[in-house]
Amino acid sequence: MNKFLHVLVYVFLIVAAVGLYFELELNKKRAELTDRNKMQENYIVRIAKTVEKVEPAKDAVFEIKLDASPVEAKLVDVPDMENVLEDYQAPLEQTNLETYNWDNQTDRRQLRSVYVLDAEGKPVMDGTEFLKTGKGTEDELLNRLFESAKAQQSRLNTTRAALTELRGKLETVVNELNKLKPEARQDKVTIVEKNEKIAKLEAEKVELENQIVKLKSQIDELNQEVTSLKDEVAAAKDETEAVKEELEAKKKMIEQLKEMIKRSVRAPGERVTGGGPVVTALPAGDKGKVVEADNENMFVIVEFSEDAMKQLKGEDLRGPLPLLELGLRRPGFQGEAGEFIGRIRLRQEVQGKPYVICDILGAWEQDKVQVNDILFAD
């Protein structure tokens, strides 16, 4: 009995080992089938993206007008025209038509559904077999893809036929152009020869006209030179007279100012009284410039700016002239004190004009005062 039990145990062990072996092999096949199905599913999704889902629009039309009138030695204002693409199938040119896109969970799940499922998710029986065709199955998607592929192939064949027909029309047009080219070359040669003769005659005509224009131009230049010389002489006379008048006017004004200086000399401490407060200082900055300098008699005539005159005499210019001391500088002067030239003291104003007669303060002299030296307050 013990021997029988030992034998039975060994038999069970052998059967278990065989069963384990078959289980392992079955798992390998199951994994292989799973990978194969996944690879086929991915390729179906990729292939579906190359198949057009919709038909091209049928209303597309193209038109190329061809001049159908014969080539004759006469002008044709309105030639006969014909449409070369009258029978051309324009819809075939449409691109970027929508393709199938099954790269989503819903369509991928349907690609994995081999059988038709009922409401409970169980396969529906078709007699003794499971039903494999119908809504929600892989067969439905693949049939749709197959029909679209057939339609796309049909359009491809139609496109090939249209290309063949178009090539025939192009060949006809090219042959007609090749026949016209020799005649056009001969006409062009004749035109070139005649144009050369015309150009030669035109060149001779232009040369003669240029000679005439050149002679006229020389005459005009001579006349212009004579006129210009006359104008220059007249302008020189006018300028000379104007300079003389200006010089005389300045001399008279200087003489008048000198006389006023002589008549208005007073003690250094004397002040001129007026109808307003006397200014004791001016804001720093440039105030005017020297318009006349007499270093021998130690006086200058200064032209103040409008703002400086208001600072001296008030906004209404009715205040008294303060006897202030102001500095002089000369831009670019390089002395011991830089641009500083010296100092002056206000003495007498010129009524009705922004001029003031000033005394030169010899103790401050760095150089002789010159016209256009700058007056400044510090």
Side-chain angles (χ1 to χ4, degrees), residues 47-48 50-55 100 102 141-157:
I47 292 171
T50 66
V51 179
E52 295 173 350
K53 183 178 179 181
V54 297
E55 293 282 340
Y100 288 98
W102 292 343
L141 293 180
L142 295 180
N143 273 330
R144 191 185 309 163
L145 182 64
F146 176 70
E147 293 299 327
S148 296
K150 283 173 59 179
Q152 186 170 332
Q153 184 184 26
S154 175
R155 287 194 297 275
L156 178 60
N157 291 332

Side-chain angles (χ1 to χ4, degrees), residues 24-40:
L24 293 175
E25 291 298 320
L26 183 61
N27 286 334
K28 291 181 182 179
K29 293 296 181 180
R30 184 182 295 111
E32 181 179 355
L33 289 174
T34 301
D35 291 340
R36 181 183 300 170
N37 288 339
K38 186 174 181 179
M39 182 177 65
Q40 290 177 353

Side-chain angles (χ1 to χ4, degrees), residues 32-142:
E32 181 179 355
L33 289 174
T34 301
D35 291 340
R36 181 183 300 170
N37 288 339
K38 186 174 181 179
M39 182 177 65
Q40 290 177 353
E41 177 185 323
N42 290 335
Y43 269 97
I44 289 174
V45 171
R46 291 171 61 187
I47 292 171
K49 291 182 179 180
T50 66
V51 179
E52 295 173 350
K53 183 178 179 181
V54 297
E55 293 282 340
K58 303 296 183 181
D59 55 350
V61 177
F62 291 132
E63 187 177 57
I64 297 179
K65 294 292 187 178
L66 175 66
D67 186 349
S69 298
V71 179
E72 298 176 345
K74 65 178 182 179
L75 298 178
V76 179
D77 295 333
V78 184
D80 296 332
M81 307 295 289
E82 65 178 18
N83 183 14
V84 180
L85 301 179
E86 184 175 359
D87 299 326
Y88 181 69
Q89 300 191 42
L92 297 176
E93 287 194 20
Q94 296 183 31
T95 58
N96 299 323
L97 296 177
E98 183 183 0
T99 59
Y100 288 98
N101 184 9
W102 292 343
D103 195 8
N104 56 76
Q105 293 184 358
T106 302
D107 291 327
R108 282 183 175 272
R109 190 181 299 112
Q110 186 172 348
L111 284 174
R112 302 188 195 109
S113 300
V114 180
Y115 305 115
V116 178
L117 303 179
D118 58 16
E120 297 178 356
K122 296 180 179 180
V124 178
M125 296 295 294
D126 183 14
T128 58
E129 297 181 354
F130 292 117
L131 184 61
K132 302 177 182 178
T133 60
K135 187 174 182 180
T137 62
E138 181 184 18
D139 179 75
E140 179 190 11
L141 293 180
L142 295 180

Side-chain angles (χ1 to χ4, degrees), residues 176-367:
E176 291 180 357
L177 290 176
N178 290 339
K179 291 178 182 179
L180 292 175
K181 275 197 170 183
E183 299 176 3
R185 292 190 185 100
Q186 181 59 47
D187 293 340
K188 192 169 184 179
V189 170
T190 303
I191 292 171
V192 169
E193 292 176 351
K194 292 183 178 180
N195 286 339
E196 289 176 353
K197 293 180 180 179
I198 294 171
K200 187 176 180 181
L201 294 173
E202 289 289 342
E204 294 176 356
K205 178 183 175 183
V206 169
E207 185 177 358
L208 293 174
E209 290 177 348
N210 288 337
Q211 292 178 1
I212 295 172
V213 172
K214 187 175 181 180
L215 292 174
K216 289 183 177 180
S217 176
Q218 292 176 353
I219 294 172
D220 292 339
E221 288 177 0
L222 292 174
N223 291 332
Q224 289 176 359
E225 289 180 3
V226 172
T227 304
S228 177
L229 291 174
K230 290 181 179 179
D231 292 341
E232 289 179 2
V233 171
K237 289 181 178 179
D238 295 338
E239 290 178 0
T240 303
E241 294 298 328
V243 170
K244 288 181 178 179
E245 292 177 0
E246 184 179 355
L247 183 59
E248 290 296 329
K250 287 187 176 180
K251 286 182 178 179
K252 288 180 180 180
M253 184 185 72
I254 292 172
E255 292 299 327
Q256 291 174 358
L257 293 175
K258 287 181 178 180
E259 290 297 326
M260 292 176 64
I261 292 171
K262 293 177 180 178
R263 291 197 303 268
S264 62
V265 173
R266 58 183 177 274
E270 185 181 355
R271 288 183 176 272
V272 177
T273 60
V278 178
V279 176
T280 59
L282 294 181
D286 294 343
K287 303 303 177 183
K289 64 180 180 178
V290 176
V291 296
E292 183 65 29
D294 189 338
N295 290 279
E296 183 178 353
N297 295 312
M298 299 296 285
F299 76 91
V300 293
I301 300 174
V302 177
E303 180 183 5
F304 277 85
S305 66
E306 183 178 352
D307 291 339
M309 288 300 292
K310 291 181 179 179
Q311 293 170 3
L312 285 169
K313 303 188 65 182
E315 289 294 328
D316 56 358
L317 301 178
R318 298 181 62 182
L321 179 70
L323 302 183
L324 299 177
E325 292 185 6
L326 299 173
L328 290 175
R329 66 180 180 85
R330 184 179 303 148
F333 180 74
Q334 298 295 329
E336 294 182 359
E339 295 183 345
F340 180 75
I341 299 297
R343 294 182 71 82
I344 62 173
R345 181 187 296 113
L346 307 186
R347 174 181 288 277
Q348 178 68 41
E349 64 175 307
V350 179
Q351 294 297 328
K353 294 184 179 180
Y355 295 118
V356 176
I357 302 167
C358 308
D359 295 325
I360 298 175
L361 303 179
W364 295 89
E365 184 179 278
Q366 301 293 318
D367 194 22

